[in-house]
Amino acid sequence: MVDVSGKRVVVVGLGTSGIAACKLLVSRGARVVATDAKPREKASPDVLELEKSGASLVLGGHAEADLSHADLIVVSPGVPMFAELAAAERAGVKIWGEVELAVQSLRHPAPIVAVGGTNGKSTTTELVGAMLAATKNVFVGGNLGEPLAAHADEAFEAIVLEVSSFQMERVEAFRPKVSILLNVTADHLDRYAGMEEYAAAKGNAFVQQTEEDFAIVPAGDAVCLAQAKRGRASITTFGPGGDVDVTPEVIVHRASGITVSRNALVLAGDHNAMNFAAAMAAAIALDVPGDAIHHVAKTFLGLPHRMAFVGERRGIRFYDDSKGTNVGASVTALLGAKEAKVVLVAGGKDKGGSYGPLVDALRTKGRAAVLIGEAAGLIDDAIGGAVPTRRAGSMEEAVRIAAELAQDGDAVLLSPACSSFDMFKDYKHRGDVFVAAVQAILRGGW
């Protein structure tokens, strides 16, 4: 366990994970400087409360935090490189993310399952957590919402963490017992120089693994396999033809013989069968019995804002997939819709990369596209004449237009292919606004 007593530690970025890191460090006797680019007048009450706990606040910029003279810097995942941080790194200051701090601060170390990938992380994290919970006291969190740093003093028998590429940029001794990489598709190319750099960040979760550990990757996926081989873990593949085989009828763990019928799986869609197979591989690696896995298959309903059915009117069904924050996720949602045609509501803050795969999916399944946010023009240009497009200035307007364009038997699908921060606090807020707008229509405001 790391000893930070008396050390000068600067925490950069005061979102949920940054605040948790500050509180943990203060409780362990560190001299904490908490800094954020937001000025004091825009700081949340939780940030201002840090002063009462003993941290020093530097708000409205980082210069006065004097990063180059810190003993340790803890960077929140949403914080990109900036001049003072680069200077501190050149000066040899150790820089960790909140995950690394939390893992090195655990009073009761436990086996860790790390779940990474561009799409499906949250669902798979919750699936693994539900399977393990049948026999163990489990912490489930990370990028999913609850930072591990807030629970570093608690005793768990297993820890399941959703890990983002941002969180994996600054790891050092992070060694999951089980590390899952579900997929790597174009995302966050506004932060990374290209796909290789993005994949490498995700692959950092494998690097410290040994022969006693497990790496779980999709069968036939050369990118994910190459990342898994950066460590020394035993590799398990999932998907059609994999060690955990996915067929149209069953999901079967070949080594143990544990088999789940696809008909028994509450989660719909081929992508969720893949997520379940990956979770099943992780659970079996940690000795979860087959009956617990079968129970989760029959009872796990999925997560909010991930292809969530909102309601139906006039033969048109409305779905909230606000968590579709990149092109790959939206393509999966479009092609996985059971309806023959879909009116897509998309747009937001552009993340770089091509909208070509989304346009191809629209050619197959699209009735029309209603576009919102900063990226509306970029997506409109990419779509060209593939399907009819309309622009909307608000989510409420977008839902009204989409409902008018949809025909009997169609779906109206919010799957933005972009981040939410141009118009909303986060993807949850965006999804909530969509659901409220749909519910207004369902009540009669067509």
Side-chain angles (χ1 to χ4, degrees):
M1 187 170 66
V2 65
D3 182 9
V4 294
S5 179
K7 302 289 181 64
R8 184 177 187 272
V9 184
V10 180
V11 178
V12 183
L14 301 179
T16 303
S17 63
I19 290 171
C22 287
K23 291 180 177 179
L24 171 59
L25 288 161
V26 168
S27 74
R28 301 293 172 83
R31 296 181 292 118
V32 177
V33 178
T35 179
D36 196 278
K38 288 183 181 178
R40 179 174 284 270
E41 57 268 23
K42 292 188 177 180
S44 71
D46 288 339
V47 168
L48 298 178
E49 192 74 18
L50 291 172
E51 280 185 318
K52 296 180 181 178
S53 70
S56 301
L57 287 184
V58 176
L59 303 176
H62 309 299
E64 294 183 15
D66 193 14
L67 273 68
S68 292
H69 291 92
D71 295 305
L72 171 67
I73 298 171
V74 178
V75 181
S76 295
V79 177
M81 182 60 75
F82 57 93
E84 294 92 344
L85 185 62
E89 190 166 39
R90 289 193 299 271
V93 180
K94 189 186 296 291
I95 304 174
W96 287 350
E98 175 265 329
V99 170
E100 182 71 21
L101 172 70
V103 168
Q104 293 219 28
S105 301
L106 292 173
R107 289 201 186 278
H108 309 279
I112 294 171
V113 180
V115 183
T118 306
N119 301 309
K121 296 188 296 296
S122 298
T123 296
T124 305
T125 299
E126 291 285 11
L127 280 166
V128 175
M131 293 175 187
L132 293 176
T135 58
K136 303 177 190 297
N137 175 28
V138 185
F139 171 82
V140 181
N143 190 60
L144 185 66
E146 187 70 12
L148 180 60
H151 301 269
D153 291 337
E154 300 173 38
F156 300 101
E157 294 172 286
I159 294 168
V160 186
L161 297 177
E162 177 187 326
V163 295
S164 69
S165 59
F166 296 173
Q167 289 173 317
M168 292 295 98
E169 288 173 2
R170 300 287 185 179
V171 289
E172 184 178 290
F174 182 58
R175 178 196 160 190
K177 179 69 176 176
V178 180
S179 186
I180 301 172
L181 185 55
L182 295 166
N183 45 62
V184 179
T185 61
D187 197 11
H188 299 302
L189 297 183
D190 52 346
R191 174 139 165 172
Y192 296 104
M195 284 295 293
E196 288 186 8
E197 184 177 308
Y198 172 54
K202 288 192 170 294
N204 286 339
F206 295 110
V207 172
Q208 298 299 328
Q209 287 191 298
T210 73
E211 294 87 348
E212 299 176 355
D213 303 321
F214 300 89
I216 299 171
V217 295
D221 190 319
V223 172
C224 291
L225 181 61
Q227 294 302 323
K229 287 182 175 178
R230 292 170 61 194
R232 292 177 288 137
S234 171
I235 294 175
T236 300
T237 61
F238 66 92
D243 299 316
V244 185
D245 196 7
V246 178
T247 77
E249 292 79 30
V250 296
I251 303 170
V252 55
H253 188 275
R254 293 181 184 276
S256 68
I258 296 173
T259 301
V260 173
S261 167
R262 291 281 296 271
N263 289 333
L265 194 63
V266 175
L267 289 176
D270 290 343
H271 62 295
N272 276 323
M274 294 286 281
N275 293 338
F276 191 90
M280 186 170 164
I284 292 171
L286 293 179
D287 302 318
V288 171
D291 57 353
I293 293 169
H294 284 105
H295 177 74
V296 172
K298 296 174 183 177
T299 58
F300 187 84
L301 299 177
L303 302 177
H305 310 300
R306 295 160 180 85
M307 284 301 291
F309 177 68
V310 180
E312 179 177 349
R313 186 161 187 221
R314 297 184 183 176
I316 299 165
R317 288 174 286 276
F318 296 81
Y319 296 90
D320 168 18
D321 188 50
S322 184
K323 191 62 168 67
T325 58
N326 59 72
V327 170
S330 296
V331 168
T332 297
L334 260 174
L335 297 180
K338 64 181 180 181
E339 293 78 11
K341 289 294 179 181
V342 175
V343 178
L344 178 69
V345 178
K349 183 174 173 58
D350 180 62
K351 300 169 82 173
S354 170
Y355 291 102
L358 183 66
V359 178
D360 291 340
L362 282 168
R363 287 193 181 99
T364 301
K365 295 280 286 189
R367 173 78 65 194
V370 184
L371 306 174
I372 61 173
E374 293 177 4
L378 288 172
I379 302 174
D380 209 350
D381 290 344
I383 290 173
V387 296
T389 61
R390 295 274 298 275
R391 304 275 190 98
S394 68
M395 184 64 77
E396 292 80 4
E397 183 185 5
V399 170
R400 289 196 300 271
I401 294 171
E404 291 165 2
L405 293 172
Q407 298 180 16
D408 186 8
D410 286 356
V412 170
L413 169 66
L414 170 67
S415 192
C418 298
S419 70
S420 57
F421 302 121
D422 57 337
M423 296 172 66
F424 305 97
K425 290 187 295 185
D426 51 30
Y427 78 86
K428 296 176 185 176
H429 178 213
R430 176 170 60 190
D432 290 342
V433 173
F434 173 79
V435 169
V438 170
Q439 289 173 341
I441 283 180
L442 299 181
R443 288 193 300 267
W446 196 263

